[in-house]
Amino acid sequence: MQVTSFSFLFFVLIIAALCYCLPRKFRYILLLLASIGFYVSLDVIGCIVLLVSILTTYAAGLMLDKNTGKPAVEDSDNADNKRSAGGTDNIIFAGCIILNIAILAAFKYLGFFFGREDSAISIVAPIGISFYILKAVSYLIDVKRGTIRAERNIAKYALYVSFFTQIVSGPIDRAGNLIPQFNYPVTVDLDRLRDGFMQMLWGYFMKLVLADRLAIFVKNVYDNPAAGTITFIATLFYTFEIYCDFAGYSHIVIGASRILGIDICNNFDAPYLSGSIAEFWRRWHISLSSWLKDYVYIPLGGNRKGVWRKYLNILIVFAVSGLWHGTGWTFLVWGILHGLYQVIGYLLEPSRNFFVNIFKIDRKSFAHRLFKTVCTFLLVNLAWVFFRADSVMNAIDIIVKSLSFTPWVLTNGELFKHGLDEANMLLMTVGLVIVFITDLMNNQGTVIRDKIARQSWWLRWLVMIAAIMVIVVCGIWGPGYDASSFIYQQF
């Protein structure tokens, strides 16, 4: 059962109807059974790895919470016992973290570290392992820090790690947000049902109508890049493809969760409208960015140990981000490139401020903000070439060829010889304009779903029916279509 399939939509609606019939305090049991069934339908063997991660972090969390929750002691013997317990806690904590990270590394990175990026062992990595391992690890770290108390109910904890709307490709939510909602989920009324369904429709539109259509053109050009503007256009299309693909998935599962009475974290906030790389990472894959900040960057020292240590920490974090995404050198280069963007940005800040003062540039002016947004977008676009290419040399070849300026391909018909004819190209262009306008409005605090919800009932239904028709008629279906081909699912 794939997230883009009709069976997933029906599955969510059936579970929501059953949840409505159950007392709230028992709904987590149904959600756990649904999550188990969903994951089994995707990866039966992978359930073993998932179970190991759940049991080890659950048990370690209980042991850590048992010791940290003890009352303060006064005599020296009890103080010694407390120090001993603290040492035991550290062993339990480190052992469990190492075990779970080792599981992730064994399935994803053995081939990379031994010089074989095509290692067979990386092919059989359980679905969603990169996402649910991070959820389990963050839970254990939060328990160790005392941010949250360990969850005693193993079913609720298992649901947190394996919640079916998140397990394939996130968002990577925190236990402090999800588990309390499992204890007492919100009752779904008509407004919440409508809002969740409309968000799912928006996700289906981004994925099926736009991302999968863009993927046709991108694959055609990247498989055989030629010098000229067509290759540059393909790099732009991939930048939009990965956004529509991953943001589309996130909208689908966030909407599905709302229908089930659960609010999960947002994962995207108009990232391509960012004015800097640092801002881009506050808007792109927000759940991963915040995870890396809280559990990697800050423990490394963050910006508390001097400027150069801060720069090193940034590079380490983005190298980790690159390796998390994939095992090839291209992903590592992509991650380090984003780290270098930020470090160079900090180093050039005095120079930028100097020129701003000399030329009396208004930082709040539209022209200045547009300039920063375009520069940021082009830097992000450059990095995505490494993310998509088969090898570092292939990425460099594509970048070099994309610099050849051949504008006549826009008028001589060459643009329509790469898998998309005039009609499909027009549809895709209109769709991207709609996405841009939607992001622009969201960036200004206007949520289109809320605007639609305040309209008359007949207009709301007309919009939803029209959206369904566009998705069904214009979505990429038919022979060769792979409903499981979310880009981030492979990670």
Side-chain angles (χ1 to χ4, degrees), residues 108 130-131 168-169 325 331 387 484 486-491:
K108 290 193 66 174
S130 296
F131 294 90
V168 173
S169 298
H325 280 86
F331 295 106
F387 196 91
S484 66
F486 282 105
I487 293 175
Y488 264 69
Q489 183 169 319
Q490 65 183 291
F491 308 137

Side-chain angles (χ1 to χ4, degrees), residues 387-413:
F387 196 91
R388 172 61 174 81
D390 296 328
S391 66
V392 174
M393 294 308 299
N394 178 232
I396 294 173
D397 180 53
I398 290 171
I399 291 170
V400 171
K401 289 179 176 177
S402 70
L403 297 177
S404 297
F405 189 56
T406 57
W408 52 85
V409 299
L410 301 176
T411 58
N412 64 4

